[in-house]
Amino acid sequence: VTDLITALDTRDIPALRASLAEHSEAELADEMVRLDPVQQALVFRLLTKGHALGVFEKLEPVQQAELLEALRADETARIIEEIDPDDRARLLDEMPAGVATRLLERVSPGERRRTTVLLGYAPESAGRIMTPEYVSVRASTTAGRAIERIRRAGIDAETIYVVYVVDDTRRLVGVVSLKDLVLAEPDTPVAELMATDIVTATTDEDQEDVARRLADNDFLAIPVVDREQRLVGIVTVDDALDILEREDTEDVERIGGAAPLDRPYLAAGVLTVFRARIWWLFVLFVGLLFTSTVLRAFESSLEAVVALTFFIPLLIGTGGNAGSQTATTIIRAMAIGEVRLSDIARVVWKEMRVGLLLGGAMASLGVLLAIPLGRGADLAVVVGLAITSVVMLATFVGSILPLTLKRGGLDPAVVSAPFIATFVDGTGLLLYFTYAHLIMGI
Amino acid sequence: VTDLITALDTRDIPALRASLAEHSEAELADEMVRLDPVQQALVFRLLTKGHALGVFEKLEPVQQAELLEALRADETARIIEEIDPDDRARLLDEMPAGVATRLLERVSPGERRRTTVLLGYAPESAGRIMTPEYVSVRASTTAGRAIERIRRAGIDAETIYVVYVVDDTRRLVGVVSLKDLVLAEPDTPVAELMATDIVTATTDEDQEDVARRLADNDFLAIPVVDREQRLVGIVTVDDALDILEREDTEDVERIGGAAPLDRPYLAAGVLTVFRARIWWLFVLFVGLLFTSTVLRAFESSLEAVVALTFFIPLLIGTGGNAGSQTATTIIRAMAIGEVRLSDIARVVWKEMRVGLLLGGAMASLGVLLAIPLGRGADLAVVVGLAITSVVMLATFVGSILPLTLKRGGLDPAVVSAPFIATFVDGTGLLLYFTYAHLIMGI
């Protein structure tokens, strides 16, 4: 969308308007990340009211907060009033407490109350991300009257494709889709149409688990209940998609060995990116010091047989690679719910066998390389043994560590590829020199 | 779900039935991966007809194909007939051509024709994954008659929440949601309700791009048109979610340095996992040979100053870690459409500055370590320079390589963390010894 940028640079308003009209809200939200706040505000003001709100809702909360700063107070107030309660809660979360309070004071009392309720739940919980806007009916009502109710309530409800059936105490007793209501004869009681084996989420559940359950069940929305099974809100499929995408991005960044960025990459400044990476680089550096220490401890061995050095990168490289393969596969399988803690024995047993096969194959290559060096058959044996051991160690650690972290309540994705590689480096070298000591007598 | 496994092991049919009744279709599909084909067939036969189909549709195509092999011919025929055309196309794709043809012959002519049309599109294209089941109306019809049409067509249509408006030549001219139809007065013409700025997909587009567009726009379905803009099918949000999850899993596996598995991890045998990993381990091993060659070429330098060896793991480890951080961040940002080819200058310029900061910080640590070794200030200078260069090299390569691969039509995720690490290892050592040669004269 170069024309958008060009029109902005030249302040050519007619061209800018023409360019804006060509793009969907999602595309415009994508472009916002490439603009500075002043440009964003200009674009924003040229959009029609409905369009502007649509684009705003598709921005990340951090971007929303930054855009609001560039807008006038009256513009800000209008946006805050009109966005959905769940989006409002997420946005206020990103703002300094003082600013959030001031903004919330300007919101109409009804909307303010709904937002405060959501903000009362823990961050990243289902309660925090759900919307209180849904349609509920009694089981005794008819399909026709239920549709009539949707017609009246519909415009404000975030989704009307699923209607929730509650009893006198607001306890959830059934779910019926708009599809079933439309297909049924108008005088059919809802009780006959509704499904009663309901999959629900509770307010204090982790948002990622809830989004994943919605996705696994192919739902358009999942009802959120409190501890008394009373319906308090719903999470819709579009929000679930956003959550899964954001959580997946965070996992990938962790797997790569960095802290997750809290905003789109292009919107993150150099210092933000630096801060997300330096801490892990430092932790891994400390891990690498262990590797250095091992090398220093075996300085005399290295001086005796310099050829040992040639195989160090092969050995620790292959170990690191095998560990990275295992860890990322297991972390991902855990993230999408395929592998659970109870599968630990099955996983480790499989990885040990895979590790033996991989280690054996790579060791053969290592031996083939060591022999023509002409530094003795015992060097080849040491190299072969070391590669096999280090690959098996890597698949073992790469499989057991993510599962153990999860048991300890930590994010398995923290066992990044670099983390495993660093761990395997030091241990692998220790094994290598031990074999050299035992077999070559150095 | 231990009781399920226990009931299966003891062949306790009543307990098994009780356990099956407790779980949702999604949970049962999850459990299937832990069972062998014979157990799967047993579980499958104990489910009610509708339930069994629901569980079947939630399995991966490879799992579906394996389960069908364990079922009787009549059971297989029934399933193949009843699943949706798009699911059928995906399933037949996983089977040997002969088996697929034989199965397809047993399907009723109408269903067979719809499936053959889908199979005519390229694998992983929008045409291949779309469903031909949707509701379309003319612009001149009214909201009431449109709902009536949904009522009649609805039961077979995969989603009826979005209705497509076409002209006499089946060209797509508008989109109207069931919500708008229900909320409107029954005699309002559809032309007044429909949106005409339609986001579409074309049959030959990549499935991941289409799924991502659907998600970015918060759609429940996206219409697929042919080259003449004629509506030929739709992709629904549940299928889009499945595609995104599978593609993300493949990306993560590639980032970890392995070929993607074509089935859930627990369902993959030891040899399948071995094959997915050995090829990349081998390719990376060849890359590591370059590192070994560099070390051999500088054997005399290493013999002269063994202390140089101590910093090798620190140097190549930190370079690899920095490269892994950059590459995974960029690959993910590209996968979700945040970063595009045209952003290359912006990305590289940002990464060079981040690399300078990170390299400088890590180099300071390296120098602090080198000084107390007491092997001369020039060693400390060499270590500092080498770390800075290698980190900058890593952020540069880690950012430019994924973007370049994409331009060449390759999957950027192939630039896995191990790949970058291996590349940086060799080049980093070359720089290190060159600095040592220039500064220490060895």
Side-chain angles (χ1 to χ4, degrees):
Chain A
V1 198
T2 344
D3 53 341
L4 178 66
I5 310 270
T6 319
L8 267 170
D9 286 343
T10 56
R11 296 266 162 170
D12 180 349
I13 303 298
L16 196 51
R17 271 188 212 278
S19 166
L20 293 179
E22 275 169 37
H23 300 290
S24 71
E25 290 172 0
E27 287 169 343
L28 289 175
D30 263 1
E31 281 313 310
M32 291 296 253
V33 98
R34 293 176 176 80
L35 310 179
D36 62 48
V38 177
Q39 290 176 318
Q40 288 184 25
L42 177 61
V43 164
F44 206 69
R45 287 190 187 114
L46 288 177
L47 294 168
T48 60
K49 202 179 139 183
H51 226 49
L53 206 65
V55 171
F56 187 82
E57 285 179 340
K58 287 189 174 60
L59 299 175
E60 290 289 308
V62 194
Q63 292 177 274
Q64 291 178 336
E66 284 169 1
L67 174 56
L68 285 190
E69 276 176 43
L71 293 176
R72 288 193 314 267
D74 62 317
E75 293 169 318
T76 305
R78 184 171 57 80
I79 292 170
I80 290 282
E81 175 71 31
E82 288 181 11
I83 58 177
D84 292 322
D86 51 333
D87 291 335
R88 193 185 297 130
R90 268 193 288 274
L91 167 57
L92 293 176
D93 249 357
E94 289 299 332
M95 299 183 144
V99 180
T101 314
R102 241 179 308 126
L103 280 175
L104 202 52
E105 273 164 13
R106 298 222 210 118
V107 173
S108 61
E111 289 294 310
R112 193 193 311 153
R113 209 185 44 245
R114 309 174 95 176
T115 306
T116 341
V117 169
L118 297 184
L119 285 170
Y121 294 104
E124 312 229 321
S125 71
R128 194 64 160 269
I129 55 155
M130 71 190 182
T131 171
E133 304 197 321
Y134 54 87
V135 181
S136 64
V137 298
R138 296 300 166 84
S140 55
T141 201
T142 62
R145 270 182 292 157
I147 292 180
E148 204 39 59
R149 207 182 138 68
I150 291 172
R151 232 190 267 269
R152 285 198 312 272
I155 296 168
D156 282 304
E158 192 154 311
T159 178
I160 59 166
Y161 296 113
V162 193
V163 174
Y164 300 90
V165 187
V166 293
D167 67 11
D168 295 341
T169 60
R170 297 212 55 77
R171 247 204 284 268
L172 185 64
V173 293
V175 171
V176 60
S177 66
L178 176 57
K179 174 178 160 182
D180 290 333
L181 292 175
V182 167
L183 297 181
E185 289 301 316
D187 55 356
T188 318
V190 164
E192 283 179 26
L193 299 170
M194 71 187 190
T196 52
D197 52 337
I198 321 163
V199 178
T200 59
T202 52
T203 48
D204 50 359
E205 258 186 292
D206 181 73
Q207 61 174 9
E208 186 176 1
D209 295 342
V210 173
R212 195 73 68 181
R213 189 170 325 132
L214 183 154
D216 285 348
N217 284 284
D218 293 343
F219 287 160
L220 295 184
I222 190 167
V224 183
V225 297
D226 63 14
R227 282 180 198 166
E228 282 77 39
Q229 288 293 311
R230 282 188 307 249
L231 182 63
V232 288
I234 61 172
V235 175
T236 51
V237 65
D238 53 323
D239 287 340
L241 264 163
D242 287 347
I243 289 164
L244 292 178
E245 184 173 295
R246 208 173 312 129
E247 297 275 356
D248 282 351
T249 301
E250 288 182 7
D251 274 2
V252 169
E253 287 175 328
R254 286 201 188 93
I255 286 175
L261 295 168
D262 65 345
R263 61 187 69 204
Y265 173 78
L266 287 184
V270 168
L271 280 178
T272 307
V273 178
F274 171 76
R275 274 193 300 266
R277 296 187 189 165
I278 188 68
W279 167 241
W280 268 109
L281 270 195
F282 176 71
V283 170
L284 294 168
F285 192 85
V286 173
L288 289 167
L289 284 183
F290 169 56
T291 315
S292 264
T293 311
V294 173
L295 282 180
R296 273 223 293 284
F298 290 94
E299 182 167 359
S300 57
S301 310
L302 283 172
E303 274 168 348
V305 187
V306 175
L308 276 177
T309 317
F310 306 157
F311 294 95
I312 291 179
L314 277 182
L315 179 73
I316 65 183
T318 300
N321 293 340
S324 157
Q325 291 180 329
T326 309
T328 45
T329 305
I330 303 296
I331 289 167
R332 178 63 186 169
M334 290 172 73
I336 58 178
E338 264 176 29
V339 166
R340 289 193 295 261
L341 276 180
S342 54
D343 296 314
I344 191 162
R346 190 189 286 254
V347 169
V348 171
W349 169 230
K350 182 185 284 184
E351 287 298 333
M352 292 311 295
R353 287 176 294 161
V354 174
L356 187 61
L357 286 177
L358 290 175
M362 299 317 288
S364 319
L365 279 177
V367 170
L368 283 179
L369 278 172
I371 292 172
L373 273 186
R375 319 257 172 147
D378 46 359
L379 177 65
V381 172
V382 167
V383 168
L385 273 178
I387 292 181
T388 313
S389 318
V390 86
V391 170
M392 288 191 70
L393 176 74
T395 58
F396 177 72
V397 174
S399 57
I400 208 162
L401 222 57
L403 284 156
T404 317
L405 279 189
K406 175 92 178 189
R407 168 156 289 168
L410 292 169
D411 188 330
V414 169
V415 194
S416 54
F419 183 91
I420 295 279
T422 305
F423 181 89
V424 171
D425 280 2
T427 325
L429 281 181
L430 213 52
L431 287 171
Y432 184 44
F433 287 116
T434 309
Y435 289 138
H437 176 69
L438 292 176
I439 293 166
M440 302 170 75
I442 48 170
Chain B
V1 198
T2 344
D3 54 342
L4 178 66
I5 309 271
T6 320
L8 267 172
D9 286 343
T10 57
R11 295 263 159 171
D12 181 348
I13 303 297
L16 195 53
R17 271 187 212 278
S19 166
L20 292 179
E22 274 170 38
H23 300 290
S24 71
E25 290 171 2
E27 287 169 345
L28 289 174
D30 263 1
E31 280 314 309
M32 291 296 253
V33 99
R34 294 176 176 79
L35 310 179
D36 61 47
V38 177
Q39 291 176 316
Q40 288 185 25
L42 177 61
V43 164
F44 207 68
R45 288 190 186 112
L46 289 176
L47 293 169
T48 59
K49 202 179 139 183
H51 226 49
L53 206 64
V55 172
F56 187 82
E57 285 179 339
K58 286 188 174 61
L59 299 175
E60 290 288 308
V62 195
Q63 293 178 272
Q64 292 179 336
E66 283 169 2
L67 174 56
L68 285 190
E69 277 176 42
L71 295 175
R72 289 193 312 269
D74 62 317
E75 294 170 317
T76 304
R78 185 171 58 78
I79 292 169
I80 290 282
E81 176 71 31
E82 288 181 12
I83 58 178
D84 292 322
D86 51 332
D87 291 334
R88 192 185 298 130
R90 267 193 289 273
L91 167 56
L92 292 176
D93 248 356
E94 289 301 331
M95 299 184 142
V99 180
T101 313
R102 240 180 306 125
L103 281 175
L104 203 51
E105 274 164 12
R106 298 222 209 117
V107 173
S108 62
E111 289 294 311
R112 194 192 311 154
R113 206 185 46 243
R114 308 173 96 174
T115 306
T116 338
V117 169
L118 297 185
L119 286 170
Y121 294 105
E124 312 228 321
S125 71
R128 192 63 158 266
I129 54 154
M130 69 188 182
T131 172
E133 304 197 321
Y134 56 87
V135 181
S136 64
V137 297
R138 297 299 166 88
S140 54
T141 201
T142 63
R145 271 182 289 158
I147 291 180
E148 205 40 59
R149 205 182 140 70
I150 291 172
R151 230 191 269 269
R152 285 199 311 272
I155 296 169
D156 282 304
E158 192 155 312
T159 177
I160 60 167
Y161 296 113
V162 191
V163 173
Y164 299 91
V165 188
V166 293
D167 66 12
D168 295 341
T169 59
R170 297 210 57 73
R171 246 203 287 267
L172 185 65
V173 293
V175 171
V176 61
S177 67
L178 176 58
K179 174 177 159 185
D180 290 333
L181 291 175
V182 167
L183 296 181
E185 290 303 316
D187 54 357
T188 317
V190 164
E192 283 178 25
L193 300 170
M194 71 186 190
T196 51
D197 52 337
I198 320 162
V199 178
T200 59
T202 51
T203 48
D204 50 359
E205 258 187 293
D206 182 72
Q207 60 174 8
E208 185 176 1
D209 294 342
V210 173
R212 195 74 68 184
R213 189 169 327 134
L214 184 154
D216 285 348
N217 284 284
D218 293 343
F219 288 160
L220 296 183
I222 189 168
V224 183
V225 296
D226 64 13
R227 284 182 197 164
E228 281 77 41
Q229 289 291 312
R230 282 187 306 248
L231 181 63
V232 287
I234 61 171
V235 175
T236 51
V237 66
D238 54 323
D239 287 340
L241 264 162
D242 288 346
I243 289 164
L244 291 179
E245 185 173 294
R246 207 173 313 129
E247 298 273 357
D248 282 352
T249 302
E250 289 183 6
D251 274 1
V252 170
E253 287 175 328
R254 287 204 188 93
I255 286 173
L261 294 168
D262 65 345
R263 61 189 68 203
Y265 173 77
L266 287 183
V270 168
L271 281 177
T272 307
V273 178
F274 172 76
R275 272 195 299 266
R277 295 185 189 167
I278 187 68
W279 168 240
W280 268 108
L281 270 195
F282 176 71
V283 170
L284 294 168
F285 191 85
V286 173
L288 289 166
L289 284 184
F290 169 56
T291 315
S292 263
T293 310
V294 173
L295 281 180
R296 272 222 294 284
F298 290 93
E299 183 167 358
S300 58
S301 310
L302 284 171
E303 274 168 349
V305 187
V306 175
L308 277 176
T309 317
F310 306 157
F311 294 95
I312 291 178
L314 277 182
L315 179 73
I316 67 183
T318 300
N321 293 340
S324 157
Q325 291 179 328
T326 309
T328 44
T329 304
I330 302 297
I331 289 167
R332 178 63 185 169
M334 289 172 71
I336 58 178
E338 263 176 31
V339 167
R340 289 193 294 262
L341 277 181
S342 53
D343 296 314
I344 192 163
R346 190 189 288 254
V347 169
V348 171
W349 170 231
K350 183 185 283 183
E351 286 301 331
M352 293 311 295
R353 285 177 294 162
V354 173
L356 185 63
L357 287 177
L358 291 174
M362 299 317 289
S364 320
L365 281 175
V367 169
L368 284 178
L369 279 170
I371 291 171
L373 274 184
R375 317 256 172 147
D378 44 1
L379 177 63
V381 173
V382 168
V383 168
L385 273 179
I387 293 182
T388 312
S389 317
V390 87
V391 170
M392 288 191 69
L393 177 74
T395 57
F396 177 71
V397 174
S399 57
I400 208 164
L401 222 56
L403 285 157
T404 317
L405 279 188
K406 175 93 177 186
R407 168 156 290 170
L410 292 168
D411 188 331
V414 167
V415 194
S416 54
F419 182 90
I420 294 280
T422 305
F423 180 88
V424 171
D425 281 2
T427 324
L429 281 181
L430 212 53
L431 287 172
Y432 184 44
F433 287 116
T434 307
Y435 291 137
H437 175 69
L438 293 175
I439 293 167
M440 303 170 75
I442 48 170

